[in-house]
Amino acid sequence: MVSILPTSSATGACRATAPSNIALIKYWGKSDASLNWPANDSLSMTLSRAHTVTTAKKSQGMAAHRIAFGTSSDTAIPARDNGKAQQYLEWLRTEVRTFGPAEGALDILTNNSFPSSCGIASSASGFAALTLAAVGAWTGAKNMDQLKALGISTAHLSAWARRGSGSACRSIDGGFVRWTRGNSPEQQSAGTIFCDDHWQLADLIVMIDRSAKKVSSTEGHARTWTSPLMKMRMSGLSERMKHVLEAIESRDLERLGTLIETEATEMHAVMMTAIQRTDYFGTPTINFISWLRNRRAAGNIEAWFTLDAGANPHLLCHPQHVAHLREQIIKNFPDYKILEDQTGGGAKLESLEEKSDGH
Ligand code: DP6
C-alpha cells in the first residue's frame, strides 16, 4: 500500500476526510468579505464521493507550514501559491490555542477525489479537510470524539473552516446542511438539518467545460452587489428557503427540483446583470439545460439541475433513475464526462500514528 503520510517518520500524524457539497440555495454575496459572513442563509447537499483527504503532522525545525498536493510524499507536488492557506493556518492556530497548546509548523499533504474544474467546489472540501487535519495534528486528537472531549465541536470546526472559504462551513456536517447567517458574524452557524439517510438523492455532474473559471467565486461575490436584481433576490430568499426545507422534509423531488432551478438561474441572472457582466457558462450549457427541460416536459426524464459558479450542471434525481439518465446523456452528448455522486455524511478524523511505520 502506498503511504499517504507526509513523511515516513510522522508523529502525531492524522488524516481528515471532508466531503464536498452542492448548494441548493446559494451563498452568493457577502455581508462582510473579510469574515466570509454571508448575505443570506444557504443550504447544501453533502456529497458522498467527492471529497478531500488531507494528512497533517507537526514538524520540528520547519519555519513555515509545508503544503503539497498528492496522495504520497514521494510524488506530491508542493503548493506554489499557498499564501492564503499559510495565513489561514496561522489564524487557525490562535483559535485552537484557546483550547490548549497548538505548537509547530505543519507538514500537510492534500488530495481531491475529483478532478479540478469539474463543477465541484474544491475550496469547500479543501478548507474543511485542512481545518480538521490541522486541528487534529495540533491537539493530538485521534478522532472527532476526542476533539469533542477537548471542547472542540463540529460547530467550532465549521466556523473556522468558513474563514478559509465560506462554503467550507457546510462541509463539516453531513446530509442536508443549512448555513444560517444570523444577525452578526458571531451568530452565524452551519449544521445538518436532515441527515443523509433521511433522503438519498443522486447527483450527476455533467462536465461540459473543464477549463478553469475566469472569475473566481470570491470575485463573483463582490461583483454581485452591482446588479439591480440583487435587491429582488435578497427579498425572496427566505420564502424560497422555507419551500426548499418543506420539499426536503416531504421528499418531494419535483418541488425541490423546480425551486433549485429557479435559484440557480436567478444567481446567474444576477451575475449577468452585474456592472462587470459575468457569464459563468455559454451556449453548450444553455443547450444542455434546454435539452433536459424538453425531455422532462416530454415525461422522459425526472431530473433537475443546479449550477454553481461554473459551466457544469449538477443533475439531481432519484437513485433508481440514474441509469436511464446516464444513458440518455451519453446518447445525446457523447463528449461529456459524467461524475456520479449522491447524498453523503460529514467529515471524519483519524489518527495515522499506529500505521506510520507499517505501510
Ligand atoms: C456558487 O465559498 O467558493 O458555490 O467564501 O469567497 O471562498 P469564498 O466563496 P465560495 O463561494 C461558493 C459559491 C457557490 C455557492 C455555494 O456554494 O453556496
Side-chain angles (χ1 to χ4, degrees), residues 243-315:
H243 291 297
V244 163
L245 291 171
E246 284 170 7
I248 296 172
E249 186 170 20
S250 60
R251 302 184 189 89
D252 183 342
L253 182 57
E254 183 167 2
R255 186 172 179 205
L256 178 67
T258 308
L259 289 160
I260 65 170
E261 288 196 354
T262 304
E263 165 63 6
T265 308
E266 183 180 279
M267 180 194 118
H268 286 278
V270 167
M271 292 316 291
M272 288 175 191
T273 50
I275 286 177
Q276 278 178 288
R277 176 179 172 142
T278 308
D279 297 79
Y280 278 112
F281 57 83
T283 315
T285 303
I286 294 170
N287 289 345
F288 181 85
I289 288 170
S290 302
W291 170 82
L292 179 80
R293 297 179 79 130
N294 289 338
R295 297 310 280 258
R296 202 170 62 219
N300 190 262
I301 272 174
E302 271 186 65
W304 285 262
F305 76 88
T306 185
L307 261 174
D308 271 349
N312 302 324
H314 288 240
L315 308 185

Side-chain angles (χ1 to χ4, degrees), residues 51-344:
H51 60 259
T52 300
V53 177
T54 300
T55 60
K57 71 162 184 122
K58 287 194 279 187
S59 213
Q60 307 306 325
M62 254 170 35
H65 308 292
R66 191 163 58 191
I67 303 169
F69 296 107
T71 52
S72 149
S73 52
D74 308 332
T75 53
I77 300 163
R80 264 175 293 144
D81 182 19
N82 66 11
K84 185 178 172 188
Q86 292 281 350
Q87 236 181 342
Y88 171 69
L89 285 167
E90 278 317 295
W91 172 84
L92 179 63
R93 178 149 55 174
T94 57
E95 293 291 309
V96 178
R97 277 187 181 137
T98 61
F99 294 87
E103 304 312 319
L106 298 179
D107 201 352
I108 288 164
L109 189 57
T110 189
N111 192 54
N112 293 334
S113 68
F114 50 92
S116 59
S117 304
C118 69
I120 299 177
S122 59
S123 65
S125 55
F127 272 99
L130 179 65
T131 303
L132 189 51
V135 173
W138 278 322
T139 59
K142 293 187 183 348
N143 52 45
M144 299 297 260
D145 286 340
Q146 289 194 5
L147 277 183
K148 211 188 271 176
L150 294 171
I152 298 175
S153 64
T154 54
H156 289 110
L157 294 164
S158 165
W160 291 336
R162 179 192 105 234
R163 288 290 289 263
S165 177
S167 52
C169 76
R170 299 187 313 238
S171 277
I172 296 290
D173 278 345
F176 294 86
V177 175
R178 180 178 183 166
W179 178 9
T180 306
R181 174 183 181 271
N183 292 321
S184 67
E186 297 70 41
Q187 283 177 359
Q188 69 78 52
S189 65
T192 301
I193 38 161
F194 296 103
C195 296
D196 51 324
D197 53 10
H198 167 73
W199 199 17
Q200 276 289 315
L201 284 176
D203 177 11
L204 264 60
I205 304 144
V206 185
M207 293 172 67
I208 294 176
D209 184 352
R210 294 191 198 198
S211 53
K213 58 182 174 233
K214 289 179 197 77
V215 179
S216 70
S217 297
T218 305
E219 173 61 22
H221 283 288
R223 288 186 186 183
T224 196
W225 293 109
T226 66
S227 163
L229 300 184
M230 191 56 173
K231 210 167 151 199
M232 176 276 298
R233 172 167 167 74
M234 288 294 116
S235 68
L237 276 176
S238 50
E239 186 69 10
R240 185 174 295 142
M241 175 65 86
K242 185 171 147 271
H243 291 297
V244 163
L245 291 171
E246 284 170 7
I248 296 172
E249 186 170 20
S250 60
R251 302 184 189 89
D252 183 342
L253 182 57
E254 183 167 2
R255 186 172 179 205
L256 178 67
T258 308
L259 289 160
I260 65 170
E261 288 196 354
T262 304
E263 165 63 6
T265 308
E266 183 180 279
M267 180 194 118
H268 286 278
V270 167
M271 292 316 291
M272 288 175 191
T273 50
I275 286 177
Q276 278 178 288
R277 176 179 172 142
T278 308
D279 297 79
Y280 278 112
F281 57 83
T283 315
T285 303
I286 294 170
N287 289 345
F288 181 85
I289 288 170
S290 302
W291 170 82
L292 179 80
R293 297 179 79 130
N294 289 338
R295 297 310 280 258
R296 202 170 62 219
N300 190 262
I301 272 174
E302 271 186 65
W304 285 262
F305 76 88
T306 185
L307 261 174
D308 271 349
N312 302 324
H314 288 240
L315 308 185
L316 261 56
C317 69
H318 289 301
Q320 65 268 30
H321 292 157
V322 166
H324 175 68
L325 180 58
R326 188 198 311 117
E327 194 184 300
Q328 293 295 308
I329 298 170
I330 292 171
K331 205 164 120 198
N332 290 277
F333 302 94
D335 295 339
Y336 297 163
K337 193 173 154 41
I338 304 164
L339 296 180
E340 292 181 25
D341 218 315
Q342 63 192 70
T343 325

